[in-house]
Amino acid sequence: VSAEGLFGFLDGSNTSDSTNDQKTFVVGFSEFPPFGYKDANGEYIGFDLDLAKEVAKRNNWTFKAQPIIDWESKEVELNANEIDCIWSEFTIDGREDDYTWSDPYFNSSQVIVVKSNSGIDSIDDLNGKVLEVQSESSAYNAIQNNKTLKDLFSEINKIGDDDTALMDLGSGVCDAVIMDYPSANYRITERFHDADFKILDEHVTHEKYGVAFKKGNDELKDQVQKTLDEMFKDGTVDKIAQKYDDYGISEELLHM
């Protein structure tokens, strides 16, 4: 199947209003390592982006990673034809009707990060504490949808990104941060090199990641899904996951 006609965006049909040429697969993502981020050489890598690159390669499409600078604008960019999909550690749960989705490809969870010497060893110890969470994220939704957990905190402050939240945690501005489990593993290990952070054993929610397409763009979704299914069956997804195993991308979390 050619990419010709697949990258139409209005009701899944080809249109002269499209800002992307017909052979380029433009993947919208935000920096959520280890799923998508820039390495020391300035190249965009990560589990999600590596999967997307392989999908593009198998379909003879040119791959383009398009950073979403303002995560709150992701749906606007998708609907404005600036990107072909959102492939960025993106949670299906609670957004089922907002996009045309691929099948789930990864099982994840939301976790709480605290300082190792904080005396916080369980969720019950969070009573009266200050929490930071990235705005408009699945972590934020997890807190809003869990009244029991939400009511534990004296304050819940929204911030722009997880790195800022972890810096605030280290400096004592907040007592806890909620974020995706693999992302927490990566940031603590690679960005902060800080043994003073720990992840609580109790996970807040469990969720599924998928690739989000503009509502009605079933043709492109179906072609990407077909290619992903082939990659699962021939072991390519497992092979890509092994590159990021140290950060919580493990075989048992892959969803087919």
Side-chain angles (χ1 to χ4, degrees):
V1 178
S2 167
E4 188 73 32
L6 288 179
F7 296 99
F9 304 92
L10 300 180
D11 299 324
S13 61
N14 194 24
T15 169
S16 60
D17 292 333
S18 172
T19 58
N20 306 316
D21 70 72
Q22 302 302 310
K23 297 284 187 178
T24 302
F25 186 37
V26 184
V27 174
F29 79 102
S30 188
E31 285 217 19
F32 293 123
F35 291 88
Y37 59 102
K38 186 180 288 187
D39 68 9
N41 298 319
E43 180 184 359
Y44 290 121
I45 64 169
F47 179 63
D48 283 351
L49 295 185
D50 288 358
L51 291 178
K53 288 175 189 176
E54 181 64 20
V55 167
K57 178 181 177 182
R58 294 189 182 203
N59 286 282
N60 295 315
W61 301 334
T62 299
F63 172 78
K64 180 181 178 182
Q66 180 66 48
I68 300 172
I69 305 303
D70 180 1
W71 186 240
E72 295 184 25
S73 73
K74 57 190 178 296
E75 190 169 354
V76 174
E77 293 189 30
L78 187 63
N79 290 334
N81 309 334
E82 295 174 7
I83 54 178
D84 296 322
C85 66
I86 302 168
W87 201 330
S88 186
E89 194 182 356
F90 202 27
T91 302
I92 297 173
D93 308 73
R95 301 186 177 107
E96 290 87 349
D97 298 327
D98 297 338
Y99 305 90
T100 290
W101 287 98
S102 72
D103 293 341
Y105 65 88
F106 189 82
N107 297 306
S108 189
S109 58
Q110 296 294 331
V111 294
I112 301 288
V113 182
V114 298
K115 293 190 75 173
S116 299
N117 62 357
S118 64
I120 301 171
D121 298 313
S122 69
I123 287 179
D124 289 341
D125 296 330
L126 295 170
N127 189 41
K129 304 299 185 183
V130 176
L131 177 76
E132 287 196 352
V133 58
Q134 181 177 348
S135 62
E136 305 307 317
S137 65
S138 55
Y140 178 74
N141 292 336
I143 286 292
Q144 294 304 308
N145 294 329
N146 188 331
K147 187 177 186 302
T148 300
L149 180 61
K150 181 180 178 181
D151 288 348
L152 281 176
F153 296 100
S154 61
E155 291 181 40
I156 297 177
N157 298 320
K158 295 192 293 182
I159 44 81
D161 60 82
D162 289 329
D163 281 344
T164 300
L166 288 175
M167 285 189 284
D168 287 348
L169 178 62
S171 64
V173 173
C174 65
D175 302 299
V177 174
I178 181 171
M179 56 196 302
D180 296 296
Y181 177 61
S183 186
N185 268 320
Y186 176 87
R187 284 183 159 89
I188 292 171
T189 302
E190 294 294 326
R191 295 208 170 164
F192 288 86
H193 308 284
D194 193 345
D196 291 337
F197 289 143
K198 68 178 180 181
I199 299 172
L200 297 185
D201 291 335
E202 300 164 85
H203 290 205
V204 176
T205 62
H206 295 275
E207 55 198 30
K208 302 179 294 294
Y209 294 162
V211 185
F213 301 85
K214 185 176 179 179
K215 290 273 283 187
N217 198 355
D218 293 284
E219 193 174 6
L220 178 57
K221 182 269 292 183
D222 289 346
Q223 184 59 26
V224 170
Q225 186 64 60
K226 176 177 178 291
T227 309
L228 261 180
D229 290 344
E230 294 169 353
M231 290 164 56
F232 266 104
K233 289 177 182 177
D234 66 23
T236 300
V237 175
D238 287 344
K239 185 176 180 181
I240 292 173
Q242 288 170 13
K243 295 167 57 179
Y244 304 98
D245 184 64
D246 289 344
Y247 311 126
I249 307 292
S250 56
E251 185 175 344
E252 61 266 24
L253 296 176
L254 300 180
H255 193 290
M256 183 177 178

